[in-house]
Amino acid sequence: MVRTAVNEGVLVATIDNPPVNALSADVRRGLVEALRNAAADPQVSALVITSSGKTFIAGADISEFGKPPQSPTFPELIQALEESPKPVVAAINGAALGGGLEVALACHARVAAPGAKLGLPEVKLGLIPGAGGTQRLPRLIGAATAFRMMRDGEPVGAAAARDLGIVDIVADSDLLVTASMHAREMARNGSRPAARDRRDRITEEDRAAFEALVKETARQMKEMPNVAALVETVRAVFDRAFDDGVALEREHFLRLIEDDRSKALRYVFFAERETSRVPGLSKDTQARPLRRAAVVGAGTMGGGIAICFANAGIPVTLIETSEEALARGIARIEQTYDASVRRGTLSPEEKQRRLGLIAGRAGLEAAADADIVVEAVFEDMAVKTSIFGDLDRITAPGAILATNTSYLDVNEIAAATRRPEDVIGLHFFSPANVMRLLEVVRAERTSSEVVATALSLGRALGKIPVVVGVCFGFVGNRMLSKRTVAAERLLTAGALPHEVDAAVTDFGFRMGPFAMADLAGLDIGWRTRKSLGQKAPVADALCEANRLGQKAGKGYYVYPEGARSGERDPEVERLIEKVSSELGIKRRSFTPDEIVERLLYPMVNEGARILDEGIAARTGDIDVIWLNGYGWPAWRGGPMYWADQVGLAKIADRLEAFAAETGDDSLRPAPLLRRLADEGRTFASLGGER
Ligand code: T1G
């Protein structure tokens, strides 16, 4: 766990705890022992702490949270570092995050490799730094700058860390040599500066800047208790002694560790990484090299997908049927990049470089040299099967043929080719260059190598790829369709759009279902319902009245010229009441809690069916899909995690009541949900079991 070696009077302690050198109890023990040995060894004048691998220290071992703390605790390690009678230098060879950076801050100097990243991301886990970071970092770089780093949880690079005052030296040559030389120099001049003693950055100007940032943070403080705690703890830098500040930090940290939001966010952290474990797919399955891609269809989705490839540095041919359609698609891509340049998140040079990776062509023959083709034309099976038949003929053997369909049968598409083993679904979410979720739809004949290639590609594109099976709507849209039916039913039963949307945004979503429908356009759902012979009386009536959403200036809401969001429209409310009357429904009011139950329990029920059918490998995958594709609030963990907190027995009983009340048998508890409820179990208790 911690290897030590003495070299010319410097004891080098190297942490070796793969995969990311998390600060487990063993590592903490090894470091305290190295400090003790160094103090007792007259041949040792100083210490250097470093790690093996590409990460310095990824922080505390998150999997240890909630378990009884093991000695030495984190604070004991920090104290041993700072009080070491011999100077201790951190040689930061890679990411120093959370407790990893706090260890470095407790050292007397910090030397970083050029590619190192340093940050305190605890806020993303619903926590605050818990090993002195909220007190030491402000003393090194000022409270305002430190607060922003901790509030946003984003790391900084080595050079920026030096400019801020976190790092003393960026070692352009050998990190260990540089760090050891610095340690010897400190030993020679008896220097052991401690961050805790610094006061020069804590000024009235800094306090003003800090308080201004706090004002900007009001919404986050209201929504997340850890952000409020962070404000109070950093403010202590101005008003309290160091040890009091550390005590306050510790008090908040220990309370937040038990907070339900933090537990959910820690669950999400592991669930997002668990998705890469695909049943039946060996970790050693080699991905195919993808040197060039092609995207068929330069519409909103196709253009967004082409941007994903270009952003990842993969040359991509964007294919349309005509030069005019192509020109429109390329123009839309340029507009997207121009917006990033305007926001300052992309340099003009980088924009040009990425545009240079996108070659627009008319005609499918242009896909001939692609290692992977992603089809993103409209949702018509005849069109898709024709395109795949052509691509099968045009592309080289071994080229992967992917469809971006959001609900059609990928097996049927694969059957249109002579290479079903090379056909897969890559379901991007709109806007494709923004949304992190990628549903990787594994068809019956898709080979393991193609699945492995899709997973590797998804990560290269900066996505979270989740493997799902073939069914109507796969996982996300299949569950969404249940919420959509439930939302429509609430309208005819007595609720109004703004009441439903308010209940959903109060639950934690950024947008409610009706505002979302107006944004996406009501005609998409209308076309799908018509193709399936389904009815949604209110939504159909709105479409028939040409109320197609924001693009039409009105949908469930009305959008006055230039308005930033929709406003209630009495005309819509009269239309809804008329539909209820025609259906013979006596309208009644619904509480926000009832609205949430009626919308989300049917989704959870569908998730249970999806699990039972093997369309998703585990409950965590379903949660990751909803967190990254549909805006489920991360601090609630995802629909299946949330259902476990509500209690499956309660959900099953309420679903029985909904089914009886509506006569809709599909609302009856799915067999798996019923079984778990009767056994007093949770979805989480399933593990890999189905
Ligand atoms: N604890 C336990 N396991 C961890 C871990 C951690 N801190 N970080 C990563 N892992 C596991 C992860 O689950 C995965 O496992 C494997 O390592 C590779 O991770 C007191 C309280 C470091 C940038 O929030 O950001 O310190 O799936 O796929 O893409 O104030 O991991 O292989 O079995 O992400 O190369 C604060 C979390 C903790 C940093 C590397 N630290 N980690 O990214 O690998 S709280 C963090 C990361 C804390 C103190 C507080 C990233 C990474 P498996 P990976 P990667």
Side-chain angles (χ1 to χ4, degrees), residues 19-20 54 58-62 65 99 102 122 129-130 253 270 273 277:
V20 291
K54 65 183 173 73
D61 185 333
I62 305 171
F65 292 160
E102 290 173 295
E122 287 87 339
F253 177 77
F270 289 114
R273 286 156 177 81
R277 289 192 182 76

Side-chain angles (χ1 to χ4, degrees), residues 592-661:
D593 286 350
E594 272 191 292
I595 290 172
V596 166
E597 286 190 326
R598 287 167 182 269
L599 287 177
L600 304 186
Y601 290 174
M603 275 179 44
V604 167
N605 205 28
E606 200 60 25
R609 293 194 182 98
I610 284 168
L611 271 177
D612 229 0
E613 294 165 23
I615 299 294
R618 57 183 74 82
T619 57
D621 286 9
I622 295 175
D623 287 334
V624 169
I625 284 170
W626 267 83
L627 290 161
N628 291 284
Y630 300 84
W632 184 284
W635 54 267
R636 288 190 186 269
M640 310 307 270
Y641 178 95
W642 169 73
D644 281 346
Q645 314 314 307
V646 170
L648 301 190
K650 175 182 175 185
I651 293 175
D653 293 347
R654 294 292 287 145
L655 285 166
E656 291 286 8
F658 298 162
E661 175 196 301

